[in-house]
Amino acid sequence: MTTPATIGGKVFLMFYGLLGCASTILFFNLFLERVITVIAVVLKSCHERRHSNVVLPQNGRRAPEEGRARAKVEDLSGWKPSVYCVMLILGAAAILVSCCASLMFSVTEGWGYLDSLYFCFVAFSTIGFGDMVSSQRTVYEGLPTAAYRVCNFFFILTGVCCIYSLFNVISIVIKQVLNWLLRRLEAPCRCCFPRRGHPHRHPRRNVVAPGNLRTRRDPSIETDAVNESETDTGRRMSGEMISMRDFLAANKVNLAIMQKQLSEMAIGHPRQPGSSSRQNGFSGGVGALGIMNNRLAETSVDR
């Protein structure tokens, strides 16, 4: 197990880890995007082929069912694969890589097959307990050490990519399940409010339920980020607080009136139009600027 031993090596590891870990996460994210793109293209082509397999009648005319099928194919331009299909495919890929790697580790390291599966999950998920570590021998019988280490690197890299992608997709499914549970918990409350004399009661604006006001027929792997965006429409649909830009736009007139009142209170009386401040060259204003201009006008008159 190779670890830094000197002070210089440990300091170098801390600074190099910032760049190395960030680059690794970027690599995993790019891998996930490419895998989802490939899965989406394959599933979309299979979906279109399944909808386009319509048999023509003997007279050569198109059947009404074929016309409907062609309309469905034309409507598939924005079709996206379901998150559950992507999760199933990534899970199958992770299991396949783990089984192949476990076979190699059980033969080469002398571990049991279940122990090898356990090591694959701990290593691929980057948990890394360290109780079982591969490629620690100097010489391996029946297999060149360099070839074994290359295969070990390949399996660990591929397995970590698959498990990382699978974890990301599972997190999306967990969030959808939590949103569904929150909507189910809110449904009885809405039914009970009118009976208790609160017919117009609304849920709290900051309730943790991003999907309580929108309906989603078929959740897809690419629509989750769009629905959770920080746009104004997304805020209103998700029940979040109003943005600062909308708040200032709605209260601009009130703020101006309040600043003017503060200015008049500071000078002791309302400022009349055509006062000496304009004659002395000091322009009016509101807030702190108006107070400063009025004070400068008074001192200039005294002088």
Side-chain angles (χ1 to χ4, degrees), residues 24-44:
T24 304
I25 293 175
L26 176 62
F27 173 77
F28 289 156
N29 290 328
L30 294 176
F31 178 84
L32 175 60
E33 291 179 2
R34 300 304 181 272
V35 167
I36 289 177
T37 302
V38 173
I39 293 175
V41 171
V42 173
L43 291 179
K44 185 177 180 179

Side-chain angles (χ1 to χ4, degrees), residues 27-28 31 93-94 96-98 100-102 104-105 119-120 123-124 134-135 145-163:
F27 173 77
F28 289 156
F31 178 84
L96 179 62
V97 174
S98 300
C100 296
S102 299
M104 182 189 70
F105 290 135
F119 167 75
C120 288
F124 295 168
S134 63
S135 186
T145 305
Y148 170 65
R149 289 179 176 174
V150 169
C151 294
N152 187 18
F153 172 79
F154 172 77
F155 275 118
I156 290 180
L157 179 63
T158 308
V160 171
C161 290
C162 293
I163 294 294

